[in-house]
Amino acid sequence: MFTRSENFRTFLQLYPVVSVLVCIHILFWLLLQIPIPQLKILLGLLDGYNAGIANGEYWRLITPIFLHIGFGHLFFNSISLILFAPALERMLGKAKFILIYIVSGMVANIATYIIEPLQYSHIGASGAIFGILGVYLFIVVCRKGLIDQANSQIIISILVIGLIMTFFNSNINVVAHIFGMIGGFIFAPFVIRKRAQFSHQSFYSPNYSRTKFNLNFSPKHIIWILFIILILLGLIFRLS
């Protein structure tokens, strides 16, 4: 789940939704870098501005999911998608994966609207990504037959690190992180069948086999994964 062995073309074929989401992130970020006032104004209508939502601009509950402030913000969220989302897309299928991603992001943005002041504005896919982690948490807690103990520990470790680092920077939307995860956890039972299995498709073969969710990570792999996550978190804090 958290290590990728596919080449670029195979990744696009196996995980089309994740690939499209990352492309959308990059496209909107590039558009934000173009110094055209009219474009800035147009994109300004897409952020999560609470006063705008209060005035009926309800699209702002969805559109912030696809926008990012700086390169570090874009890089961290895109890498998080590439690492965490593919296994879930394979298990849920395209439609259910998109649904859980959008719903988690919307829950995060609705909670931000309710809790934060009217002048608060935010962008970023973090709420939706924490929703993905919330689905994994649901699997660990409520669908133990789908995952072994070692992989459960990896997911819990990543969640703990993510939640701890959430409170280390004033620029982070803490509400979105927490409620995105809660949203993913709550809506997971509606998209995960009790007998569901994670599927893995190797780029060495055109066929794939459905197997129990097993990452086959050694302690050394776990240490490296956590180390990389800490580096990425440090990078976004430095560049944001």
Side-chain angles (χ1 to χ4, degrees), residues 110-178:
I110 291 171
T112 300
Y113 170 69
I114 294 172
I115 296 174
E116 296 291 351
L118 199 61
Q119 297 304 314
Y120 188 81
S121 180
H122 63 98
I123 59 176
S126 301
I129 292 172
F130 266 83
I132 292 174
L133 296 178
V135 175
Y136 285 130
L137 179 62
F138 173 82
I139 293 171
V140 170
V141 175
C142 304
R143 297 287 190 269
K144 296 180 180 180
L146 297 178
I147 188 169
D148 61 28
Q149 185 64 29
N151 296 319
S152 296
Q153 291 175 356
I154 294 173
I155 291 171
I156 295 299
S157 298
I158 290 172
L159 269 172
V160 170
I161 292 173
L163 289 174
I164 290 175
M165 298 304 291
T166 291
F167 296 93
F168 277 13
N169 192 297
S170 58
N171 294 325
I172 287 181
N173 187 348
V174 177
V175 173
H177 284 202
I178 293 175

Side-chain angles (χ1 to χ4, degrees), residues 4 23 64 96:
R4 305 262 55 90
C23 288
K96 288 183 179 179

Side-chain angles (χ1 to χ4, degrees), residues 91 139 143-149 151-152 195-200 209-216:
M91 186 195 75
I139 293 171
R143 297 287 190 269
K144 296 180 180 180
L146 297 178
I147 188 169
D148 61 28
Q149 185 64 29
N151 296 319
S152 296
R195 296 181 178 274
Q197 290 181 309
F198 281 85
S199 59
H200 171 74
S209 60
R210 296 184 178 273
T211 59
K212 183 178 179 180
F213 181 44
N214 186 4
L215 305 183
N216 295 321

